[in-house]
Amino acid sequence: MILMNARQRLARQLVATHRTNDPRQLIELLNIPHIETTLPSSMHGFTCRIQRQVGIIINSQLDESQLSYARAHELGHALLHDHAGHYLIAENTLIPPGRYEREADEFAQALLGVE
């Protein structure tokens, strides 16, 4: 028996409930405000909260596979983390990933791996 962590369970639950693992569709179905716009090339996206409302901003210059992953990653932040903001920064920076980044990555990988 394979044990799933909370991020993996949440991803599977979303797919079972909404019958899709497409992060863009899930963001829309969950009524999370989002935009895709030009951001610095080192920034794939970020999640922010203003008062109690969460929003997702994605770099529109990414290729389709990067867009999908960035959407899934930021959706993970929106659902898992309740603080001010998170940034998915390109891997070529010197900023080490923290716990919240690892959790958002785990969620994204579980979501995109679910068929």
Side-chain angles (χ1 to χ4, degrees):
M1 179 167 92
I2 298 174
L3 295 176
M4 285 188 281
N5 65 35
R7 276 100 32 219
Q8 293 165 325
R9 282 192 302 275
L10 178 58
R12 287 189 182 270
Q13 189 175 38
L14 282 171
V15 172
T17 300
H18 298 287
R19 301 195 190 288
T20 183
N21 72 332
D22 181 325
R24 180 189 297 188
Q25 288 180 357
L26 290 169
I27 289 167
E28 291 174 2
L29 289 167
L30 295 170
N31 296 312
I32 298 173
H34 61 283
I35 61 169
E36 294 185 5
T37 189
T38 302
L39 295 172
S41 62
S42 64
M43 185 180 294
H44 291 186
F46 63 95
T47 300
C48 61
R49 290 186 191 274
I50 299 174
Q51 296 177 357
R52 293 180 181 245
Q53 181 63 56
V54 65
I56 294 174
I57 295 88
I58 301 294
N59 188 340
S60 61
Q61 303 302 304
L62 301 174
D63 67 40
E64 192 54 43
S65 67
Q66 290 175 312
L67 278 170
S68 183
Y69 192 84
R71 290 177 191 128
H73 179 97
E74 296 308 329
L75 177 59
H77 280 305
L79 297 175
L80 297 168
H81 305 131
D82 63 355
H83 39 282
H86 302 281
Y87 302 87
L88 177 56
I89 299 173
E91 295 174 5
N92 61 352
T93 68
L94 299 176
I95 300 171
R99 176 182 141 212
Y100 297 121
E101 291 303 309
R102 285 190 303 274
E103 290 177 352
D105 281 337
E106 287 177 5
F107 173 84
Q109 291 164 7
L111 180 66
L112 296 173
V114 176
E115 296 294 324

